[in-house]
Amino acid sequence: MDGRRGGWGRFAVHYLEMVVAMLAGMLVFGLVLGVLLGIVGLDYSHDDHPAAAALEMAFTMSLGMVVWMRFRGHGWPATLEMTAAMSAPLVVLYPLFWTGVISGETVMMLLHVLMFPAMAAVMLRRRAEYSSAHHMRGQRLLRFAGRAMVVVLAVGAVPGLVYVAGLRSHQDRSWRWR
């Protein structure tokens, strides 16, 4: 590695860290969210509700990345850009799903695939930031994680509540017609 601001090696390592954070977020926060939804009676099948499953996946992956990015010392603009990049594929995929052009399984597969280049594009946009070797002290992790979770939950609360209300309404209507 050269002595300049940062090289492609650091960039690649940081990209791999982000992939791990994304997957850890999906596993850890996905499990927590699933348990919480089950407790309040909103347990749903991913096969029956692929749009909700895709939203859940994007949310939990983003949450994992937010925690890691804040721990690594990234500012809120870069963190929010990355969160937007994780959700951006849904803007294209949802209309295709709702119109019947693609299936729910295809939405999930494409979402998984498109998140990686979207993440790389955001990182390349701020290459110097992602190539530098800045690290935050470990004791600040909890404070950053707490703030990150509050922001992500606040941003996701309104769309999530609207979706849950619609899902409940749909379930109530479909139950009455049986």
Side-chain angles (χ1 to χ4, degrees):
M1 189 97 27
D2 59 19
R4 290 179 284 160
R5 183 133 166 83
W8 286 103
R10 284 191 184 141
F11 182 88
V13 168
H14 204 138
Y15 182 83
L16 291 175
E17 288 176 3
M18 299 292 276
V19 169
V20 170
M22 182 172 66
L23 296 174
M26 182 177 66
L27 294 173
V28 173
F29 294 121
L31 176 65
V32 171
L33 183 61
V35 168
L36 292 175
L37 290 175
I39 289 171
V40 297
L42 294 174
D43 198 16
Y44 59 90
S45 163
H46 286 104
D47 293 332
D48 294 337
H49 301 284
L55 182 63
E56 175 188 319
M57 186 184 74
F59 175 76
T60 56
M61 285 180 156
S62 295
L63 188 55
M65 293 182 75
V66 165
V67 170
W68 185 249
M69 287 181 72
R70 294 302 294 166
F71 175 69
R72 290 272 277 150
H74 293 281
W76 283 111
T79 304
L80 295 175
E81 266 182 0
M82 190 60 73
T83 301
M86 294 296 97
S87 302
L90 292 175
V91 174
V92 175
L93 296 175
Y94 271 172
L96 294 173
F97 169 70
W98 291 330
T99 58
V101 174
I102 60 176
S103 69
E105 295 84 21
T106 304
V107 169
M108 289 300 281
M109 189 256 324
L110 288 174
L111 183 59
H112 277 91
V113 169
L114 293 173
M115 283 181 163
F116 293 102
M119 180 174 60
V122 169
M123 290 179 70
L124 286 169
R125 185 178 177 290
R126 295 176 178 267
R127 187 172 100 64
E129 180 176 343
Y130 288 99
S131 297
S132 66
H134 63 283
H135 294 276
M136 298 302 293
R137 289 183 170 78
Q139 63 263 26
R140 297 178 74 184
L141 173 62
L142 292 178
R143 185 174 61 154
F144 290 138
R147 286 181 183 168
M149 283 190 257
V150 167
V151 169
V152 171
L153 289 174
V155 169
V158 173
L161 290 174
V162 169
Y163 181 81
V164 167
L167 179 63
R168 285 298 244 192
S169 174
H170 174 72
Q171 287 175 339
D172 291 344
R173 279 184 282 151
S174 64
W175 180 259
R176 279 188 241 145
W177 292 103
R178 289 181 190 204

